[in-house]
Amino acid sequence: MSTGPQHGLVSLRGLGRDRLEGLLDRAQSYVGSLVSSELAGATVTTAFFEASTRTRLSFDRAAHRLGAHVMDLSPDLSSTTKGESFKDTILTLTAMGTDLFVVRHWLADAADLAAEWSGRPVINAGVGRREHPTQTLIDAMTLRQEFGHLDGLRMAIVGDIRNSRVARGHLEAFPTLGVKLTLVGPTPFLPNHNPWGVRVSTELDDELGDVDVVYLLRIQNERGASQAIPADQSYARRYGMNAERLSMLKPAAVVMHPGPMNRGVEIDDAVADGERSLILDQVANGVPLRMAVIAEALGGTG
Ligand code: NCD
């Protein structure tokens, strides 16, 4: 099994279209696949220092389907609670035989640090406000399944963009894949700078008729967002996706959300559970997409 410094997947920045599409193709080839022995003998360690449902469990399932062994560090139950540092935790798990780390952390450079300390490939499962690259790839995969292509699609990303690592991943990869992005939200939720040069709008209702995808984000209260804008009915009235706004979309347009959803705030039941929603398709694609990223990081045959 591979050792020494490797490239995992920390960021999508600068990745070319061929590399991104190659990952999506590989992920598509894993859809519906059964357990294989492709990575038999490998150990994947998941280390999540922030809450997660979909991401941690789908990485776990993905690694199992490739035949790898999974070690899961639960920081709340580990010696982290006794004051052990992040670095010592990573060194300990490396010494135990980890071949690949999957890291979620509140620090934006946690994945880079884990790679440096361990000398192992690291997959970023969401670090700080930086990026959540596998979520972005899942969403690209889901849209490609829905529309058959990505080139020329228009996506409005709506909500707490300033605090969102998901939005940052999207900004790094979707333009490369030919998707035109518009960032929509109240000013305190929009990024201070726009190095991506994408469209920005504070008026959701003006955008709805033009887009193929409405991508909703949760208000990240744990990152202080609700001090800027309360996650209440006034937000829902102006930016919440409801049945009326759904009727303003083009007939083929779809609604996405990375989860976890706050129903009644950014999304109503009629939308979340409606025909235009791809939310559970996104969840389902988490497993094959993460299989592709793990297999690539560990040099599996594929
Ligand atoms: C997101 C995250 O943790 O970055 N969730 C996810 O992994 N699908 C988004 C969020 O927490 O709102």
Side-chain angles (χ1 to χ4, degrees), residues 51 54-55 104 132 135 165-166 218 220 222 258-260:
R54 283 150 283 269
T55 305
R104 170 169 288 195
H132 190 353
Q135 183 65 51
R165 53 196 176 206
V166 173
R218 180 177 66 89
Q220 306 214 3
E222 75 277 24

Side-chain angles (χ1 to χ4, degrees), residues 13-259:
R13 179 171 292 184
L15 296 195
R17 191 168 184 151
D18 287 352
R19 171 96 198 278
L20 296 170
E21 287 183 344
L23 276 167
L24 301 183
D25 291 341
R26 189 167 191 168
Q28 195 59 47
S29 78
Y30 285 127
V31 171
S33 75
L34 302 172
V35 176
S36 77
S37 56
E38 191 177 337
L39 293 181
T43 297
V44 174
T45 294
T46 51
F48 279 57
F49 291 81
E50 277 189 352
S52 173
T53 300
R54 283 150 283 269
T55 305
R56 187 172 61 80
L57 293 173
S58 63
F59 266 112
D60 180 272
R61 224 166 149 64
H64 277 120
R65 280 214 192 149
L66 292 164
H69 181 73
V70 180
M71 289 203 292
D72 178 48
L73 171 85
S74 302
D76 288 351
L77 300 174
S78 76
S79 292
T80 300
T81 61
K82 299 180 183 172
E84 188 159 52
S85 70
F86 179 46
K87 181 173 184 177
D88 285 331
T89 305
I90 293 294
L91 293 177
T92 299
L93 295 166
T94 307
M96 247 178 245
T98 296
D99 296 299
L100 168 75
F101 282 98
V102 178
V103 173
R104 170 169 288 195
H105 204 285
W106 58 86
L107 277 177
D109 58 356
D112 311 79
L113 290 171
E116 187 189 316
W117 296 328
S118 67
R120 301 290 184 273
V122 173
I123 299 172
N124 167 6
V127 287
R129 294 179 178 81
R130 185 168 161 201
E131 271 185 58
H132 190 353
T134 56
Q135 183 65 51
T136 296
L137 293 170
I138 287 166
D139 299 335
M141 177 183 181
T142 307
L143 282 172
R144 214 170 63 158
Q145 288 168 348
E146 178 70 16
F147 290 95
H149 66 96
L150 294 169
D151 219 1
L153 291 180
R154 291 177 179 273
M155 178 192 289
I157 304 179
V158 186
D160 183 10
I161 293 151
R162 197 176 287 188
N163 286 307
S164 174
R165 53 196 176 206
V166 173
R168 268 184 196 75
H170 284 25
L171 283 157
E172 295 300 343
F174 273 115
T176 309
L177 291 163
V179 177
K180 294 191 175 56
L181 298 177
T182 302
L183 309 181
V184 185
T187 305
F189 282 178
L190 294 171
N192 288 319
H193 307 286
N194 181 6
W196 314 277
V198 296
R199 233 177 96 73
V200 174
S201 165
T202 55
E203 300 303 325
L204 177 59
D205 292 345
D206 292 351
E207 306 300 322
L208 290 174
D210 289 333
V211 295
D212 304 292
V213 188
V214 179
Y215 195 97
L216 302 168
L217 294 171
R218 180 177 66 89
I219 298 180
Q220 306 214 3
N221 299 314
E222 75 277 24
R223 299 189 207 285
S226 57
Q227 282 152 25
I229 299 279
D232 62 9
Q233 283 310 306
S234 61
Y235 179 84
R237 261 197 303 280
R238 196 145 167 224
Y239 295 102
M241 200 64 199
N242 53 29
E244 194 191 334
R245 291 202 165 100
L246 211 53
S247 71
M248 295 161 73
L249 294 175
K250 295 196 279 192
V254 295
V255 177
M256 301 176 87
H257 194 308

Side-chain angles (χ1 to χ4, degrees), residues 1-2 26 30 38-39 66 292-302:
M1 197 39 57
S2 46
R26 189 167 191 168
Y30 285 127
E38 191 177 337
L39 293 181
L66 292 164
V293 174
I294 292 170
E296 195 187 80
L298 285 175
T301 48

Side-chain angles (χ1 to χ4, degrees), residues 3-19:
T3 52
Q6 298 285 325
H7 63 281
L9 184 64
V10 172
S11 168
L12 298 171
R13 179 171 292 184
L15 296 195
R17 191 168 184 151
D18 287 352
R19 171 96 198 278

